[in-house]
Amino acid sequence: MDKIFLNGMQFYAYHGVFEAENKLGQIFIVDVTLDVDLKQAGESDALEHTVNYGAVYEDVKREMMVQSKLLEHVAERIAKTLFNHYNQIMALKVKITKQNPPIHGVYNGVGIEISRERQ
């Protein structure tokens, strides 16, 4: 299957279990990979035969702005929204990284990644 990806999208949002995370917020990094058949778009050179990257970005941004305790919940919402808006998507991955969680230690970030297929 062909892939469309949007990597390194950055959003300032207020996700977390702790009160400080909900008040102060932080930067989240989101990567989305979409499994799509791109053959028709490659042959036609027409936007209507693919998934509009800009529209996907706006959908992800909208879901990232809805405050949640768990990144798992945010990722599920993103997946559902993308499947609902784009019939061409057969499967997808959503990865969300929290760069500065309230965890003592040295790391580049923590987060989750989900993989979903169209039902």
Side-chain angles (χ1 to χ4, degrees):
M1 185 59 59
D2 304 318
K3 309 246 186 247
I4 292 175
F5 60 89
L6 289 82
N7 288 338
M9 295 179 279
Q10 294 187 21
F11 303 100
Y12 198 89
Y14 299 86
H15 308 301
V17 175
F18 299 107
E19 186 176 338
E21 293 177 292
N22 294 298
K23 285 185 179 179
L24 301 174
Q26 63 183 292
I27 294 174
F28 294 85
I29 309 299
V30 181
D31 301 316
V32 174
T33 302
L34 311 173
D35 288 0
V36 180
D37 183 351
L38 297 175
K39 184 171 177 113
Q40 187 177 13
E43 292 174 349
S44 72
D45 198 26
L47 181 59
E48 63 266 13
H49 295 147
T50 190
V51 175
N52 183 321
Y53 316 151
V56 170
Y57 176 88
E58 291 300 325
D59 286 334
V60 172
K61 179 181 177 182
R62 197 167 23 262
E63 292 302 334
M64 285 300 296
M65 296 303 106
V66 178
Q67 189 173 5
S68 297
K69 293 178 186 171
L70 300 179
L71 296 181
E72 293 86 342
H73 183 67
V74 180
E76 283 295 337
R77 286 199 328 267
I78 290 170
K80 286 179 184 177
T81 295
L82 296 179
F83 278 133
N84 286 337
H85 289 179
Y86 311 98
N87 291 330
Q88 305 97 315
I89 298 173
M90 301 313 298
L92 55 74
K93 287 185 181 180
V94 177
K95 178 180 176 182
I96 305 175
T97 303
K98 184 185 282 194
Q99 291 186 309
N100 297 303
I103 300 171
H104 297 289
V106 179
Y107 48 82
N108 289 326
V110 301
I112 58 96
E113 180 177 277
I114 65 168
S115 299
R116 299 293 180 264
E117 293 183 7
R118 184 174 291 284
Q119 299 295 326

